[in-house]
Amino acid sequence: MPAVTVENPLTLPRVTAPADAVARPVLTVTTAPGGFEGEGFPVRRAFAGINYRHLDPFIMMDQMGEVEYAPGEPKGTPWHPHRGFETVTYIIDGIFDHQDSNGGGGTITNGDTQWMTAGAGLLHIEAPPEHLVVSGGLFHGLQLWVNLPAKDKMMAPRYQDIRSGSVQLLTSPDGGALLRVIAGELDGHEGPGITHTPITMIHATLAPGAEITLPWREDFNALAYVLAGRGSVGAERRPIHLGQTAVFGAGSSLTVRADEKQDAHTPDLEVVLLGGRPIREPMAHYGPFVMNTREELQQAFEDFQKGRLGTIPAVHGMTAEGPKEGQ
């Protein structure tokens, strides 16, 4: 971990916040509870317990693994519906196949991202390929849900397969951090992901003792989730470690620092930085549907039950399971 690295970060463009930037304070640090998703793969619920006003436009995020599967153990999700938002699946280590009822899909692996705009709705499945099930192996990733504004909730579904080689790579002035811009932009450097709701998504690796202070759009919120390692956040150096999320307050820059000493199995601090422009619309969320009103949720359930969100390709010979909370 992770798949996308460079031998010498100092060959990359360097980013730092201007001297007059206003540091964002740390409002909260929360610890993600563990659970299981789909057919039983382990997850950490990164945003559990965080007030939605701090998350908007993000809805939820699961850290999937990190887990070393024995032969026969790798698991995925059954067929399930989505409507009203975007799912972002980022595979740090391992491999996943995905398919939908519209004929879309593909394979993502080591550093790839699959960005699915569910929009008006579809059926979807994610699973490890058969050869990984047979052999077992390492699996680690993230799934992030990004809300859509009311005007876009019923748009036609679409996919973006973002390959690891296309992410924008940046570094800090001293080369102590590698910044992978997956979507949005950082200091004018744009990532490949195209979003309906303006956001920035970055996977940062900080060497022991390294610190980054990044410019951050004042109209965006700001979140930092630790995938591995330990460090601190904010100018006040609030401690943070694996499985914790920091919520930043208002300002124009944010700071993350890696501890000098990391765990033996984790050489660096790995953190996901997220920011987005809040939609500030009413949200009605249950299971795999994210709408604006309870009536729209009821309509989504009815449309799913009547097959209006699509049908499973006959080659699978299986029936869709009903929607469950959190899928």
Side-chain angles (χ1 to χ4, degrees):
M1 178 183 127
V4 180
T5 60
V6 295
E7 187 171 333
N8 181 9
L10 290 173
T11 62
L12 302 172
R14 304 179 198 188
V15 176
T16 191
D20 60 351
V22 178
R24 287 177 174 254
V26 178
L27 302 181
T28 64
V29 173
T30 59
T31 301
F36 293 90
E37 186 56 276
E39 296 170 341
F41 58 83
V43 298
R44 288 185 176 91
R45 310 286 192 194
F47 295 162
I50 300 175
N51 190 301
Y52 181 64
R53 67 188 175 89
H54 296 313
L55 298 177
D56 184 14
F58 307 108
I59 301 162
M60 58 151 273
M61 186 168 73
D62 285 347
Q63 180 180 8
M64 306 180 293
E66 179 176 7
V67 59
E68 183 76 41
Y69 283 120
E73 284 187 342
K75 298 175 176 67
T77 66
W79 283 95
H80 55 279
H82 287 306
R83 172 179 279 180
F85 64 103
E86 299 183 288
T87 68
V88 182
T89 305
Y90 173 47
I91 300 300
I92 300 167
D93 289 295
I95 185 169
F96 236 21
D97 289 337
H98 55 94
Q99 186 178 5
D100 71 21
S101 51
N102 289 347
T107 298
I108 49 175
T109 186
N110 301 341
D112 295 340
T113 301
Q114 182 253 314
W115 203 294
M116 184 182 77
T117 304
L122 41 63
L123 304 181
H124 186 239
I125 189 171
E126 294 170 305
E130 184 61 30
H131 69 82
L132 181 61
V133 175
V134 171
S135 67
L138 182 64
F139 182 78
H140 189 200
L142 282 177
Q143 185 166 96
L144 170 70
W145 289 12
V146 185
N147 202 4
L148 288 170
K151 66 182 181 63
D152 293 329
K153 282 194 177 293
M154 297 299 286
M155 67 177 296
R158 76 171 185 188
Y159 272 115
Q160 298 174 72
D161 278 326
I162 302 170
R163 298 303 167 187
S164 60
S166 68
V167 300
Q168 175 71 63
L169 300 179
L170 307 169
T171 191
S172 52
D174 64 359
L178 177 61
L179 309 172
R180 306 165 191 83
V181 184
I182 297 169
E185 63 88 26
L186 179 64
D187 197 30
H189 302 277
E190 294 191 359
I194 300 169
T195 67
H196 292 282
T197 302
I199 74 164
T200 293
M201 179 179 182
I202 296 167
H203 175 190
T205 299
L206 283 73
E211 180 175 292
I212 51 174
T213 298
L214 303 178
W216 209 254
R217 284 180 50 165
E218 293 186 72
D219 60 335
F220 278 19
N221 61 359
L223 305 161
Y225 176 74
V226 178
L227 293 164
R230 57 185 64 249
S232 61
V233 285
E236 60 270 47
R237 294 197 173 185
R238 182 98 170 253
I240 193 169
H241 59 73
L242 167 65
Q244 291 190 315
T245 301
V247 176
F248 292 88
S252 56
S253 72
L254 57 83
T255 298
V256 178
R257 186 180 187 278
D259 284 357
E260 295 280 356
K261 187 176 181 180
Q262 297 293 328
D263 301 331
H265 65 284
T266 305
D268 303 307
L269 173 66
E270 304 286 348
V271 60
V272 173
L273 303 174
L274 294 168
R277 183 192 298 157
I279 296 174
R280 297 192 176 96
E281 293 178 350
M283 185 181 73
H285 170 210
Y286 185 80
F289 304 128
V290 183
M291 305 304 293
N292 292 99
T293 66
R294 184 175 180 84
E295 291 72 26
E296 290 171 342
L297 272 186
Q298 292 171 335
Q299 185 64 55
F301 272 100
E302 180 181 327
D303 288 348
F304 167 65
Q305 291 165 349
K306 293 186 176 180
R308 295 172 186 151
L309 300 191
T311 57
I312 296 169
V315 67
H316 284 272
M318 53 195 292
T319 58
E321 294 194 6
K324 299 177 182 177
E325 183 68 35
Q327 282 190 342

